[in-house]
Amino acid sequence: MNAPDVVDVVALGESMVTFLPTRPGRLADVPSFDRAIGGAESNVACVLAAAGHSARWVSRVGADGFGDHLVGTIGSYGVDVSGVRRDALRPTGVYFRTAGERGTSAHEVAYYRAGSAASAMTVDDVEVGAGRILHLSGITAALSEGCLELMRSLTARGERRPVVSFDVNHRSGLWRDADGPRVLLELARGADVVFVGEDEAEEAWGVGGGPDEIRELLPEPAVLVVKQGGAGATAFVSPAGVWGLVAQFPAPLDPLASRTFEPAPTVDIVSTTGAGDAFAAGFLSGTLRDLPVRERLRHGHLWAAAALTAPGDLAAPPSRAHADRLVALDDQAWERLRLGPGWTQAAQAPEEVRTP
């Protein structure tokens, strides 16, 4: 599709064809797989486009059937894929995974992405185009030296760059050496909006003291969002403003100023895959709408809940009207909110959260 010259969000990163088992079990025992797609950045672009925002995905795929599938599927969500280059010499990355959730001993993932088309992205051959927000993740930096150079270029502070959103996405298995945590910290410090999980901050940087300690490590971003699992999320926002972020946005005098915690609703979890990407998309949607920080966090929680209550990497977000109605609940009603499979298609808010 042809998108406007300036889109709401440009998302850059590798996407792969994903093979999901048709039944539980070890990869060695699974007889067949269903095909899907997976990619942190394209997930964000797809969910934002499904919610009515304009989004562009920038990447590189092979000149093969898997590349055709990725471009066609992501484009079907309404994402502009004109920034995707085809590589006749390198393949599209693929991976296989078991039905078990990440973080469990039964979970297996087999990546076939070494030497992929996306790993060949460089500063010289990638055109991002214009967007209000440029969304990146730490996964791209781990793919190759050329990708790392590209990420450093995109997170370098300058007067005319867009707002840079960066999801740390620490994947220790992707890094070729022990420099991964240091590189991720460097890139996060150059971004305007940063998303990081409390658990991954401890794993990558040894920061185990909670959101305040993470903010002290990362005072530079105008907005830092620390995801705290089922408990909720904490956002730190520089006091000069929420939107209107610019590349040279100064670090706050007090990095702990403007601290907002918002609990997450109770969710009947089907799968955790893609929930972090959906949270980032929900928060960015609220940012694009210039909503208060508290409401941005609630939208992040709701969009994450849409992913948590559906199988696979991608789930349609709730309608804007439905999400806005839930976001407007008072604190007591929000704390009583419980979301299960199919809640995004509900005609009205669940019975237990209706207010007089």
Side-chain angles (χ1 to χ4, degrees):
M1 63 173 280
N2 292 322
D5 290 339
V6 179
V7 296
D8 290 332
V9 175
V10 176
L12 179 147
E14 180 175 36
S15 294
M16 295 180 291
V17 171
T18 309
F19 289 94
L20 308 175
T22 54
R23 72 182 191 193
R26 301 183 311 153
L27 286 179
D29 301 327
V30 174
S32 59
F33 296 81
D34 291 327
R35 185 180 63 179
I37 65 170
E41 301 84 2
S42 61
N43 284 349
V44 170
C46 287
V47 177
L48 283 166
H53 295 284
S54 56
R56 178 182 300 125
W57 174 51
V58 176
S59 190
R60 194 181 186 108
V61 300
D64 49 34
F66 289 148
D68 294 342
H69 178 64
L70 279 175
V71 173
T73 303
I74 293 170
S76 72
Y77 281 84
V79 177
D80 171 21
V81 293
S82 63
V84 180
R85 298 193 62 178
R86 308 304 291 262
D87 190 326
L89 301 178
R90 300 173 182 85
T92 303
V94 300
Y95 76 97
F96 297 77
R97 68 174 175 87
T98 54
E101 292 295 346
R102 294 186 180 118
T104 67
S105 58
H107 181 64
E108 296 177 77
V109 177
Y111 286 106
Y112 298 91
R113 73 195 309 174
S116 69
S119 71
M121 292 188 294
T122 68
V123 173
D124 295 330
D125 64 10
V126 170
E127 294 183 9
V128 172
R132 297 174 65 190
I133 295 175
L134 171 62
H135 182 70
L136 310 167
S137 93
I139 294 172
T140 306
L143 299 181
S144 67
E145 289 300 321
C147 284
L148 175 55
E149 181 184 2
L150 172 63
M151 290 290 289
R152 282 175 166 153
S153 172
L154 294 173
T155 55
R157 294 191 178 273
E159 292 183 359
R160 296 192 177 184
R161 79 173 193 181
V163 171
V164 174
S165 165
F166 180 73
D167 193 337
V168 172
N169 262 328
H170 178 235
R171 300 286 187 268
S172 58
L174 289 179
W175 289 94
R176 299 166 297 283
D177 49 44
D179 286 342
R182 177 187 59 78
V183 169
L184 293 174
L185 187 61
E186 170 197 338
L187 296 174
R189 285 174 168 163
D192 301 301
V193 181
V194 172
F195 300 94
V196 63
E198 195 173 36
D199 54 348
E200 67 179 339
E202 182 171 8
E203 180 185 359
W205 304 318
V207 180
D212 289 355
E213 188 174 337
I214 297 171
R215 181 54 161 171
E216 289 173 354
L217 182 70
L218 281 168
E220 297 89 353
V223 178
L224 171 67
V225 180
V226 180
K227 298 173 290 183
Q228 298 167 262
T234 299
F236 299 91
V237 179
S238 297
V242 178
W243 184 249
L245 305 175
V246 294
Q248 300 295 340
F249 201 100
L253 296 177
D254 178 5
L256 302 182
S258 301
R259 182 188 197 276
T260 303
F261 171 78
E262 191 61 30
T266 301
V267 178
D268 298 327
I269 297 174
V270 173
S271 171
T272 59
T273 306
D277 304 328
F279 179 94
F283 188 91
L284 293 177
S285 174
T287 300
L288 289 162
R289 296 173 61 193
D290 201 19
L291 299 179
V293 175
R294 174 175 171 272
E295 295 183 18
R296 299 182 196 194
L297 288 169
R298 285 194 174 188
H299 276 284
H301 288 320
L302 291 175
W303 289 33
L308 290 167
T309 53
D313 281 28
L314 278 170
S319 70
R320 181 171 294 186
H322 190 178
D324 284 348
R325 182 170 62 251
L326 295 181
V327 165
L329 293 171
D330 62 39
D331 289 344
Q332 289 185 340
W334 177 261
E335 290 174 4
R336 294 196 305 270
L337 184 60
R338 186 183 188 104
L339 303 170
W343 74 270
T344 57
Q345 286 77 47
Q348 54 188 342
E351 182 71 32
E352 62 266 35
V353 302
R354 291 179 187 164
T355 54

